[in-house]
Amino acid sequence: MQRILTRGEIETLDRTSIVRLILAAPNTFSVRAQRLRDLSTDNPIEDYLLLIGELADAQQQVFEQDWFLPALDDTQLAQAQAHGMPPFSASGVKRDAAWRAMLSAILERLFNASLPDAVRKNLSKLLDDTKNSPELLEQAADALLNQDLEKIDAARAPFIMAALQVYWSQLVAGLDSKKIPAHTPFGLCPCCGSQPVSCTVLLGGPKEQIRYATCSLCSSQWHIVRVVCTHCEDTKQVAYHTLEAGKVGIKAESCDACQQYRKIFYLDKEQFAEAFADDLASLPLDILMGEAQFYRANNNPYLWQLAE
Ligand SMILES: [Zn+2]
Ligand SMILES: [Zn+2]
């Protein structure tokens, strides 16, 4: 365990005019798919990374289709502003049935890939439920978005989350970032109120060496000052961990105040790091953190570990 820079040193790096929010790029899922494939070689979970790569490709194709989703009117946006609440709150906004059509479309594309028999069987049943048991899927979506772990089916969760990601990314894509409330609850996405999957220290221009959290649901990135626990906002008990044989641009940021950790990627050391793919591909670091008695602040949406 090693401490890198003091908080004072980091604050002198901070800028006065930091870009607060970066919405997901139009090719966000295909970039993720490519990174998953690149990271799969010799990875302990190689086959799983390849499967999720296929899933991300399917997400990209569905994301590019024309969907007509309910937009927010000016009154709703003004209300969000007034209360400092994310306008597309995942737990508050009523979901349109389009998200289930997105799930069907993702699954149908996935069936073109070569899938292990057990996965194919699981997905056939899921596709069947999108047609015949929509209420089951709505319950599953509620459980996932509310992190109601007891009600989550880990085998289905990544695929249902994949559809919810496409849905929320589409909703948020049309948002004027100036209409996002100036202050929203700490540690949660200002667009949809979900938790970050991981953090990235960016490169280039005004974003040089600035830390952004990536939303686990809508893939928006928002600024969080460095050396602050992204879970409990503590500044004094934050530390950094790496695998001995690991890449130096991939660390776990832990907090002794809340015993949680999240991964942080440094693009100056790991140029192509992607918030979801690199988090998933660095599972050995999660094992190390578990052994050190730290808990993941939240699951990667593509991998649900529910048991202790
Ligand atoms: Zn979000
Ligand atoms: Zn903390």
Side-chain angles (χ1 to χ4, degrees), residues 130-194:
T130 64
K131 297 187 172 102
N132 301 317
S133 310
E135 70 292 346
L136 275 184
L137 290 172
E138 293 298 337
Q139 286 163 13
D142 284 341
L144 285 164
L145 295 174
N146 296 315
Q147 302 272 321
D148 193 350
L149 298 186
E150 309 225 311
K151 293 186 184 156
I152 290 172
D153 175 343
R156 284 184 160 205
F159 306 96
I160 297 173
M161 274 307 294
L164 294 169
Q165 284 181 336
V166 172
Y167 178 80
W168 253 276
S169 302
Q170 281 258 350
L171 277 183
V172 167
L175 205 58
D176 175 355
S177 58
K178 291 188 203 75
K179 299 225 164 123
I180 302 286
H183 299 283
T184 45
F186 177 82
L188 301 178
C189 172
C191 301
C192 78
S194 300

Side-chain angles (χ1 to χ4, degrees), residues 4 11 20 48 101 114 190 205 211 229 238 247 255 294 296 301:
I4 310 255
E11 276 174 344
R20 180 174 172 229
Y48 194 70
S114 77
R211 186 252 290 265
C229 172
V238 175
K247 300 170 175 174
C255 170
F294 288 105
R296 257 191 88 99

Side-chain angles (χ1 to χ4, degrees), residues 77-265:
L77 281 170
Q79 254 174 6
Q81 285 270 13
H83 297 283
M85 292 309 293
F88 289 106
S89 162
S91 54
V93 144
K94 191 177 173 331
R95 286 186 300 274
D96 188 273
W99 86 268
R100 281 185 269 114
M102 290 172 169
L103 177 56
S104 301
I106 288 170
L107 294 174
E108 275 159 8
R109 276 166 182 75
L110 260 182
F111 284 127
N112 297 326
S114 77
L115 301 173
D117 286 347
V119 173
R120 192 169 285 275
K121 208 171 145 200
N122 173 29
L123 297 187
S124 301
K125 177 75 178 71
L126 186 56
L127 182 61
D128 187 62
D129 283 348
T130 64
K131 297 187 172 102
N132 301 317
S133 310
E135 70 292 346
L136 275 184
L137 290 172
E138 293 298 337
Q139 286 163 13
D142 284 341
L144 285 164
L145 295 174
N146 296 315
Q147 302 272 321
D148 193 350
L149 298 186
E150 309 225 311
K151 293 186 184 156
I152 290 172
D153 175 343
R156 284 184 160 205
F159 306 96
I160 297 173
M161 274 307 294
L164 294 169
Q165 284 181 336
V166 172
Y167 178 80
W168 253 276
S169 302
Q170 281 258 350
L171 277 183
V172 167
L175 205 58
D176 175 355
S177 58
K178 291 188 203 75
K179 299 225 164 123
I180 302 286
H183 299 283
T184 45
F186 177 82
L188 301 178
C189 172
C191 301
C192 78
S194 300
Q195 298 198 54
V197 61
S198 62
C199 294
T200 309
V201 176
L202 299 187
L203 277 183
K207 302 185 200 90
E208 181 78 24
Q209 294 300 323
I210 305 292
R211 186 252 290 265
Y212 286 84
T214 301
C215 177
S216 57
L217 185 62
C218 75
S219 298
S220 301
Q221 293 179 289
W222 72 97
H223 171 234
I224 299 184
V225 176
R226 287 169 69 178
V227 202
V228 172
C229 172
T230 55
H231 186 72
C232 77
E233 220 173 340
D234 183 82
T235 57
K236 297 190 178 68
Q237 300 182 67
V238 175
Y240 295 86
H241 313 250
T242 49
L243 286 173
E244 237 164 61
K247 300 170 175 174
V248 290
I250 296 179
K251 295 187 163 84
E253 184 182 71
S254 72
C255 170
D256 281 337
C258 67
Q259 291 297 112
Q260 311 275 327
Y261 74 92
R262 256 194 192 101
K263 292 193 198 136
I264 178 162
F265 308 123

